[in-house]
mmCIF file of all heavy atoms in Angstrom:
data_model
loop_
_atom_site.group_PDB
_atom_site.id
_atom_site.type_symbol
_atom_site.label_atom_id
_atom_site.label_comp_id
_atom_site.label_asym_id
_atom_site.label_seq_id
_atom_site.Cartn_x
_atom_site.Cartn_y
_atom_site.Cartn_z
ATOM 1 N N PHE A 790 -28.077 -102.245 -4.229
ATOM 2 C CA PHE A 790 -29.122 -101.325 -4.668
ATOM 3 C C PHE A 790 -28.516 -100.109 -5.384
ATOM 4 O O PHE A 790 -28.939 -99.733 -6.481
ATOM 5 C CB PHE A 790 -29.938 -100.897 -3.456
ATOM 6 C CG PHE A 790 -31.053 -99.939 -3.748
ATOM 7 C CD1 PHE A 790 -31.988 -100.193 -4.743
ATOM 8 C CD2 PHE A 790 -31.176 -98.759 -3.012
ATOM 9 C CE1 PHE A 790 -33.032 -99.305 -4.999
ATOM 10 C CE2 PHE A 790 -32.211 -97.877 -3.258
ATOM 11 C CZ PHE A 790 -33.135 -98.143 -4.257
ATOM 12 N N LEU A 791 -27.496 -99.519 -4.767
ATOM 13 C CA LEU A 791 -26.846 -98.364 -5.382
ATOM 14 C C LEU A 791 -26.208 -98.732 -6.718
ATOM 15 O O LEU A 791 -26.300 -97.975 -7.695
ATOM 16 C CB LEU A 791 -25.772 -97.803 -4.443
ATOM 17 C CG LEU A 791 -26.234 -97.121 -3.158
ATOM 18 C CD1 LEU A 791 -25.026 -96.622 -2.369
ATOM 19 C CD2 LEU A 791 -27.175 -95.974 -3.449
ATOM 20 N N SER A 792 -25.565 -99.879 -6.765
ATOM 21 C CA SER A 792 -24.874 -100.302 -7.990
ATOM 22 C C SER A 792 -25.837 -100.406 -9.158
ATOM 23 O O SER A 792 -25.510 -100.027 -10.291
ATOM 24 C CB SER A 792 -24.165 -101.638 -7.771
ATOM 25 O OG SER A 792 -23.196 -101.542 -6.745
ATOM 26 N N LEU A 793 -27.037 -100.923 -8.905
ATOM 27 C CA LEU A 793 -28.033 -101.046 -9.957
ATOM 28 C C LEU A 793 -28.464 -99.671 -10.451
ATOM 29 O O LEU A 793 -28.679 -99.466 -11.649
ATOM 30 C CB LEU A 793 -29.239 -101.830 -9.437
ATOM 31 C CG LEU A 793 -30.358 -102.149 -10.438
ATOM 32 C CD1 LEU A 793 -29.821 -102.890 -11.652
ATOM 33 C CD2 LEU A 793 -31.448 -102.974 -9.756
ATOM 34 N N LEU A 794 -28.577 -98.711 -9.549
ATOM 35 C CA LEU A 794 -29.021 -97.367 -9.926
ATOM 36 C C LEU A 794 -27.946 -96.582 -10.668
ATOM 37 O O LEU A 794 -28.240 -95.901 -11.656
ATOM 38 C CB LEU A 794 -29.443 -96.588 -8.681
ATOM 39 C CG LEU A 794 -30.737 -97.017 -7.996
ATOM 40 C CD1 LEU A 794 -30.882 -96.305 -6.652
ATOM 41 C CD2 LEU A 794 -31.949 -96.723 -8.881
ATOM 42 N N VAL A 795 -26.704 -96.663 -10.201
ATOM 43 C CA VAL A 795 -25.657 -95.803 -10.756
ATOM 44 C C VAL A 795 -24.916 -96.433 -11.918
ATOM 45 O O VAL A 795 -24.174 -95.752 -12.632
ATOM 46 C CB VAL A 795 -24.646 -95.388 -9.666
ATOM 47 C CG1 VAL A 795 -25.358 -94.689 -8.521
ATOM 48 C CG2 VAL A 795 -23.840 -96.583 -9.159
ATOM 49 N N GLY A 796 -25.080 -97.742 -12.131
ATOM 50 C CA GLY A 796 -24.491 -98.368 -13.316
ATOM 51 C C GLY A 796 -23.062 -98.817 -13.169
ATOM 52 O O GLY A 796 -22.407 -99.134 -14.166
ATOM 53 N N TRP A 797 -22.548 -98.860 -11.963
ATOM 54 C CA TRP A 797 -21.217 -99.428 -11.727
ATOM 55 C C TRP A 797 -21.189 -100.030 -10.330
ATOM 56 O O TRP A 797 -22.029 -99.724 -9.496
ATOM 57 C CB TRP A 797 -20.119 -98.388 -11.912
ATOM 58 C CG TRP A 797 -20.210 -97.150 -11.064
ATOM 59 C CD1 TRP A 797 -20.936 -96.032 -11.310
ATOM 60 C CD2 TRP A 797 -19.511 -96.894 -9.832
ATOM 61 N NE1 TRP A 797 -20.769 -95.103 -10.323
ATOM 62 C CE2 TRP A 797 -19.885 -95.592 -9.404
ATOM 63 C CE3 TRP A 797 -18.615 -97.629 -9.051
ATOM 64 C CZ2 TRP A 797 -19.397 -95.028 -8.237
ATOM 65 C CZ3 TRP A 797 -18.119 -97.064 -7.886
ATOM 66 C CH2 TRP A 797 -18.509 -95.772 -7.494
ATOM 67 N N GLU A 798 -20.235 -100.932 -10.094
ATOM 68 C CA GLU A 798 -20.201 -101.656 -8.826
ATOM 69 C C GLU A 798 -19.692 -100.761 -7.709
ATOM 70 O O GLU A 798 -18.549 -100.297 -7.725
ATOM 71 C CB GLU A 798 -19.317 -102.904 -8.937
ATOM 72 C CG GLU A 798 -19.392 -103.783 -7.698
ATOM 73 C CD GLU A 798 -18.649 -105.095 -7.883
ATOM 74 O OE1 GLU A 798 -18.269 -105.402 -9.032
ATOM 75 O OE2 GLU A 798 -18.444 -105.796 -6.874
ATOM 76 N N VAL A 799 -20.557 -100.521 -6.744
ATOM 77 C CA VAL A 799 -20.225 -99.630 -5.632
ATOM 78 C C VAL A 799 -19.826 -100.471 -4.418
ATOM 79 O O VAL A 799 -20.616 -101.285 -3.944
ATOM 80 C CB VAL A 799 -21.437 -98.737 -5.271
ATOM 81 C CG1 VAL A 799 -21.073 -97.799 -4.122
ATOM 82 C CG2 VAL A 799 -21.902 -97.954 -6.488
ATOM 83 N N PRO A 800 -18.619 -100.300 -3.894
ATOM 84 C CA PRO A 800 -18.219 -101.056 -2.706
ATOM 85 C C PRO A 800 -18.730 -100.385 -1.430
ATOM 86 O O PRO A 800 -19.103 -99.209 -1.434
ATOM 87 C CB PRO A 800 -16.693 -101.000 -2.764
ATOM 88 C CG PRO A 800 -16.421 -99.669 -3.413
ATOM 89 C CD PRO A 800 -17.538 -99.456 -4.417
ATOM 90 N N VAL A 801 -18.738 -101.143 -0.351
ATOM 91 C CA VAL A 801 -19.078 -100.572 0.957
ATOM 92 C C VAL A 801 -17.855 -99.795 1.440
ATOM 93 O O VAL A 801 -16.790 -100.372 1.622
ATOM 94 C CB VAL A 801 -19.440 -101.676 1.970
ATOM 95 C CG1 VAL A 801 -19.795 -101.055 3.311
ATOM 96 C CG2 VAL A 801 -20.584 -102.526 1.458
ATOM 97 N N PRO A 802 -17.965 -98.490 1.641
ATOM 98 C CA PRO A 802 -16.778 -97.687 1.995
ATOM 99 C C PRO A 802 -16.314 -97.924 3.424
ATOM 100 O O PRO A 802 -17.056 -97.687 4.376
ATOM 101 C CB PRO A 802 -17.282 -96.239 1.822
ATOM 102 C CG PRO A 802 -18.750 -96.325 2.042
ATOM 103 C CD PRO A 802 -19.183 -97.672 1.534
ATOM 104 N N GLY A 803 -15.121 -98.416 3.575
ATOM 105 C CA GLY A 803 -14.567 -98.615 4.911
ATOM 106 C C GLY A 803 -15.349 -99.584 5.760
ATOM 107 O O GLY A 803 -15.277 -99.538 6.991
ATOM 108 N N GLY A 804 -16.127 -100.445 5.116
ATOM 109 C CA GLY A 804 -16.896 -101.447 5.845
ATOM 110 C C GLY A 804 -18.178 -100.944 6.458
ATOM 111 O O GLY A 804 -18.882 -101.690 7.130
ATOM 112 N N LYS A 805 -18.531 -99.668 6.216
ATOM 113 C CA LYS A 805 -19.728 -99.128 6.847
ATOM 114 C C LYS A 805 -20.236 -97.927 6.074
ATOM 115 O O LYS A 805 -19.478 -97.042 5.692
ATOM 116 C CB LYS A 805 -19.411 -98.718 8.296
ATOM 117 C CG LYS A 805 -20.597 -98.191 9.070
ATOM 118 C CD LYS A 805 -20.199 -97.834 10.486
ATOM 119 C CE LYS A 805 -21.382 -97.303 11.284
ATOM 120 N NZ LYS A 805 -20.990 -96.930 12.673
ATOM 121 N N TRP A 806 -21.555 -97.884 5.841
ATOM 122 C CA TRP A 806 -22.177 -96.728 5.203
ATOM 123 C C TRP A 806 -22.449 -95.637 6.227
ATOM 124 O O TRP A 806 -22.809 -95.915 7.367
ATOM 125 C CB TRP A 806 -23.505 -97.129 4.543
ATOM 126 C CG TRP A 806 -23.350 -98.023 3.354
ATOM 127 C CD1 TRP A 806 -23.609 -99.360 3.299
ATOM 128 C CD2 TRP A 806 -22.896 -97.638 2.061
ATOM 129 N NE1 TRP A 806 -23.341 -99.848 2.048
ATOM 130 C CE2 TRP A 806 -22.903 -98.804 1.259
ATOM 131 C CE3 TRP A 806 -22.486 -96.438 1.499
ATOM 132 C CZ2 TRP A 806 -22.506 -98.799 -0.080
ATOM 133 C CZ3 TRP A 806 -22.094 -96.424 0.170
ATOM 134 C CH2 TRP A 806 -22.107 -97.588 -0.605
ATOM 135 N N LYS A 807 -22.280 -94.412 5.786
ATOM 136 C CA LYS A 807 -22.620 -93.267 6.626
ATOM 137 C C LYS A 807 -24.103 -92.945 6.463
ATOM 138 O O LYS A 807 -24.780 -93.440 5.578
ATOM 139 C CB LYS A 807 -21.774 -92.049 6.236
ATOM 140 C CG LYS A 807 -20.278 -92.292 6.316
ATOM 141 C CD LYS A 807 -19.826 -92.583 7.728
ATOM 142 C CE LYS A 807 -18.303 -92.730 7.806
ATOM 143 N NZ LYS A 807 -17.856 -93.056 9.179
ATOM 144 N N LYS A 808 -24.602 -92.052 7.318
ATOM 145 C CA LYS A 808 -26.017 -91.676 7.293
ATOM 146 C C LYS A 808 -26.361 -90.762 6.122
ATOM 147 O O LYS A 808 -27.533 -90.467 5.895
ATOM 148 C CB LYS A 808 -26.410 -91.009 8.602
ATOM 149 C CG LYS A 808 -26.372 -91.953 9.799
ATOM 150 C CD LYS A 808 -26.793 -91.250 11.067
ATOM 151 C CE LYS A 808 -26.748 -92.203 12.256
ATOM 152 N NZ LYS A 808 -27.136 -91.518 13.520
ATOM 153 N N SER A 809 -25.362 -90.311 5.402
ATOM 154 C CA SER A 809 -25.610 -89.512 4.200
ATOM 155 C C SER A 809 -24.465 -89.754 3.233
ATOM 156 O O SER A 809 -23.367 -90.155 3.640
ATOM 157 C CB SER A 809 -25.722 -88.021 4.543
ATOM 158 O OG SER A 809 -24.521 -87.549 5.124
ATOM 159 N N GLY A 810 -24.729 -89.531 1.956
ATOM 160 C CA GLY A 810 -23.678 -89.741 0.970
ATOM 161 C C GLY A 810 -24.136 -89.439 -0.434
ATOM 162 O O GLY A 810 -25.323 -89.203 -0.692
ATOM 163 N N LEU A 811 -23.184 -89.422 -1.360
ATOM 164 C CA LEU A 811 -23.429 -89.173 -2.779
ATOM 165 C C LEU A 811 -22.646 -90.179 -3.604
ATOM 166 O O LEU A 811 -21.514 -90.526 -3.257
ATOM 167 C CB LEU A 811 -22.960 -87.768 -3.176
ATOM 168 C CG LEU A 811 -23.856 -86.570 -2.896
ATOM 169 C CD1 LEU A 811 -23.063 -85.285 -3.091
ATOM 170 C CD2 LEU A 811 -25.060 -86.580 -3.821
ATOM 171 N N VAL A 812 -23.250 -90.651 -4.687
ATOM 172 C CA VAL A 812 -22.556 -91.509 -5.644
ATOM 173 C C VAL A 812 -22.894 -91.011 -7.040
ATOM 174 O O VAL A 812 -24.072 -90.869 -7.381
ATOM 175 C CB VAL A 812 -22.959 -92.990 -5.506
ATOM 176 C CG1 VAL A 812 -22.188 -93.834 -6.519
ATOM 177 C CG2 VAL A 812 -22.713 -93.499 -4.096
ATOM 178 N N THR A 813 -21.893 -90.732 -7.850
ATOM 179 C CA THR A 813 -22.138 -90.260 -9.207
ATOM 180 C C THR A 813 -22.453 -91.433 -10.125
ATOM 181 O O THR A 813 -21.939 -92.548 -9.932
ATOM 182 C CB THR A 813 -20.923 -89.477 -9.735
ATOM 183 O OG1 THR A 813 -21.250 -88.881 -10.987
ATOM 184 C CG2 THR A 813 -19.715 -90.382 -9.917
ATOM 185 N N GLY A 814 -23.328 -91.191 -11.087
ATOM 186 C CA GLY A 814 -23.775 -92.261 -11.962
ATOM 187 C C GLY A 814 -22.991 -92.374 -13.250
ATOM 188 O O GLY A 814 -22.402 -91.390 -13.731
#
């Protein structure tokens, strides 16, 4: 979902998403 929004392939960080975060597009 994030990858589609931000325009690049976003990996799962450390095998787990945190309850908050930022990704630049």
